[in-house]
Amino acid sequence: MKRTRAQESRAAIERLYITMRHLFMRGSYKPMGVSGESLVSSLLVLSPEIYGLVVDEEKIELDGLLYVMERLPRGIEECRYVRLISREGYENSDFSTLVPAKRRRNCYRVDDDQMYVEMTRGKSDIYDILTHLTFLYIESEKIRANSTDHKGRINLNWEMLEKIVEKERNGEEFDKEAACSYLSHITGRTFDETHVAVGKFGQSSNSNSLFSIIYHLGKLSIDEFASEKDREISFSATLRERVGHHVYGELWANRIKSVLDEHDLLDRPIHIISANLHSVLNTIYGHQALGLTNYDEIEKVAMDISVGDKKNKAKEIQAFANRNGFIDLPDLSGTNIGVQIFDTAQMSKDTVVPGIKLPKDPKARPVIVVMDYAFGEQAYECFDELLKPYEKEGKVVPLDVVSASIMGKAGILEGNKGDIMIPSSHVFEGTADNYPLKNEFKRSDFEGYGLGVYDGPMITVLGTSLQNKDVLRYFMESSWKACGLEMEGAHYQKAIQSASKIRNSIRKNVKVLYAYYASDNPLETGSTLASGALGMEGVRPTYLITYKILEKIFS
């Protein structure tokens, strides 16, 4: 019986993860050796949308390359050895800390050949970086093939690119048009495509130039092919020991609960919101500090702040917040999840958003805990630890968690960037795990604001960078009838259900609110994550969902 492309793709995803788990436990592997072949072949079978032309034997995928380089440490393309580590003391060393622009993690360039990358966000983060690195190695082999003949002799375009990179390194002037011409031959792309890509890489705050990246990716491949200077990925013993044991999630959660204890907030009603670290702050204190009387006025202020308007009110809002119950907790644990605490009893106004009054009794006034976005399985680790009772001096103090609200970014399967998705359940890709839920949100809560609103099951995927159209169409068109895909929903819900239904560490009738806004539509060419950030299109859905969360939990 012939398998469908969706079935082949799902099998490829499963093979990728089984292989990555095996290599992780083994401790090291050579990405272009026998051990790495399975990763390469599975990724090529899968052909994820985000990696575009990865299956083309000659053309380099340029948008996907930029997407990946903004999530990896600057200069990683120059390193033969990549070592994934836990937090092991390098933050106290003299090595410069490199932090990728779009995926915050500490990285250290140890020497010319070695890059150490700190992994403190769980298995999903490890799988994510291994997938990106596999993509880079596939592209590097194309670069080598385009730069040499059948006997392995380098061609003129490669020699000229080498001279360009040398001039660039020395700060010398060079003919950019000619350089783009050489590069277009090596990348297998048109001059126009190459010229545009060079401009995009030039605007990136994290990435080296496209000339340098292509040269160094190709050089490592040529060195391995001609001189047997193998590339290698390894995992430290401490990382392998710590993964899965909630080391960082426990540190993170205990700090939050200790601060709540210091401020005598543990016995108060608590609302937890997983979102960004600006929309709740600006919505509540924008209303209180500036006297904003409706959602439209709040959105206008948020737009001004987002575009950097010279007269924006961000500093005024922040100053008011600092005087009225706002506590900021930048991350110290390694999770890269910052936290904000809002003590509504310290607020000088009695409405949290327009028309929604706070209780008069200060002890009945709730505490809002806002946590920044988690990454994949990290959502379970952090939420599971946060919902546990606080233990202090032999006493066990449970948290009175009234509601848990999750606002996230997701890929939409029917609709456009900026539209909103309301999940009725979370289905965990690649397993039989599914989490039906009573979502306090309904489609009607978001209709009439000029945005598309969709509801239905949402797929919690193993990695957004591993999805292709065949898999996504299957989830959308089969009886699953999914409306979107994301990476954290099932993990959050697993923690909430175990805490409320099994462990009884929080109230059984905890309110649950999930809403996502579309960061991309992976079924539309040009609308994948590699096409660029959501930008201003994300402000309206972000603030609308925030406003509705606050409206729901306090009404």
Side-chain angles (χ1 to χ4, degrees), residues 79-83 113-116 230-233:
C79 299
R80 281 177 59 203
Y81 301 101
V82 176
R83 186 165 178 80
D113 290 322
Q114 297 184 84
M115 181 73 76
Y116 284 17
D230 295 338
R231 291 163 284 183
E232 185 178 283
I233 295 174

Side-chain angles (χ1 to χ4, degrees), residues 453-472:
V453 187
Y454 302 86
D455 58 8
M458 289 192 70
I459 310 301
T460 298
V461 297
L462 295 163
T464 53
S465 58
L466 292 179
Q467 305 310 304
N468 67 17
K469 290 182 179 180
D470 303 297
V471 174
L472 299 178

Side-chain angles (χ1 to χ4, degrees), residues 67-345:
Y67 176 87
V68 166
M69 295 314 296
E70 289 188 327
R71 284 155 179 79
L72 295 175
R74 189 182 191 121
I76 196 170
E77 71 279 0
E78 301 171 8
C79 299
R80 281 177 59 203
Y81 301 101
V82 176
R83 186 165 178 80
L84 306 188
I85 62 172
S86 182
R87 179 154 289 185
E88 301 177 19
Y90 284 93
E91 68 276 12
N92 302 319
S93 71
D94 292 331
F95 294 117
S96 298
T97 304
L98 305 171
V99 182
K102 300 293 180 67
R103 189 77 79 231
R104 299 194 64 79
R105 49 167 81 96
N106 292 343
C107 309
Y108 307 94
R109 182 76 177 267
V110 175
D111 53 38
D112 289 345
D113 290 322
Q114 297 184 84
M115 181 73 76
Y116 284 17
V117 183
E118 207 172 74
M119 298 274 104
T120 57
R121 303 175 75 176
K123 292 178 183 176
S124 296
D125 206 20
I126 295 170
Y127 299 154
D128 184 64
I129 196 170
L130 290 181
T131 307
H132 290 334
L133 289 172
T134 302
F135 164 74
L136 287 186
Y137 295 129
I138 292 171
E139 297 303 278
S140 73
E141 294 301 286
K142 296 186 205 173
I143 295 167
R144 176 180 60 79
N146 291 347
S147 304
T148 57
D149 63 17
H150 65 283
K151 291 185 178 180
R153 294 173 299 199
I154 60 174
N155 60 33
L156 177 62
N157 289 306
W158 178 260
E159 291 176 351
M160 298 307 293
L161 177 63
E162 189 170 31
K163 291 178 181 178
I164 293 295
V165 171
E166 182 66 24
K167 286 184 177 180
E168 187 179 56
R169 184 165 46 240
N170 294 332
E172 300 174 19
E173 291 292 321
F174 62 90
D175 187 338
K176 189 167 281 189
E177 298 287 292
C180 285
S181 177
Y182 309 141
L183 195 63
S184 69
H185 287 282
I186 293 170
T187 59
R189 305 298 292 267
T190 66
F191 177 81
D192 281 342
E193 290 169 336
T194 307
H195 199 276
V196 169
V198 166
K200 288 181 180 179
F201 276 81
Q203 292 168 7
S204 171
S205 61
N206 184 75
S207 166
N208 286 326
S209 75
L210 184 58
F211 303 113
S212 179
I213 290 169
I214 295 295
Y215 171 74
H216 284 102
L217 284 175
K219 184 178 184 300
L220 289 181
S221 178
I222 291 169
D223 287 348
E224 182 166 356
F225 182 80
S227 307
E228 298 184 354
K229 293 181 178 179
D230 295 338
R231 291 163 284 183
E232 185 178 283
I233 295 174
S234 61
F235 312 89
S236 75
T238 306
L239 175 64
R240 286 181 284 143
E241 179 184 297
R242 287 180 178 176
V243 164
H245 293 287
H246 291 202
V247 172
Y248 301 103
E250 185 177 11
L251 289 170
W252 174 83
N254 284 345
R255 179 170 177 240
I256 296 167
K257 285 180 269 194
S258 68
V259 171
L260 291 172
D261 184 40
E262 286 170 20
H263 290 80
D264 296 321
L265 303 176
L266 279 176
D267 60 347
R268 299 256 297 279
I270 295 174
H271 298 275
I272 302 173
I273 302 174
S274 174
N276 54 71
L277 295 184
H278 61 80
S279 62
V280 179
L281 172 70
N282 290 333
T283 297
I284 292 177
Y285 291 112
H287 159 63
Q288 294 191 347
L290 307 178
L292 308 177
T293 58
N294 56 56
Y295 167 71
D296 289 337
E297 292 179 356
I298 291 172
E299 185 188 285
K300 173 65 170 62
V301 169
M303 288 283 187
D304 290 343
I305 293 171
S306 296
V307 299
D309 186 284
K310 289 183 180 179
K311 296 181 180 179
N312 80 74
K313 304 292 185 178
K315 289 183 179 178
E316 188 176 336
I317 291 171
Q318 183 69 60
F320 183 88
N322 292 337
R323 299 192 303 270
N324 287 268
F326 174 74
I327 304 168
D328 190 29
L329 292 180
D331 179 61
L332 301 176
S333 66
T335 60
N336 283 310
I337 300 177
V339 171
Q340 297 170 339
I341 297 172
F342 300 74
D343 178 5
T344 63

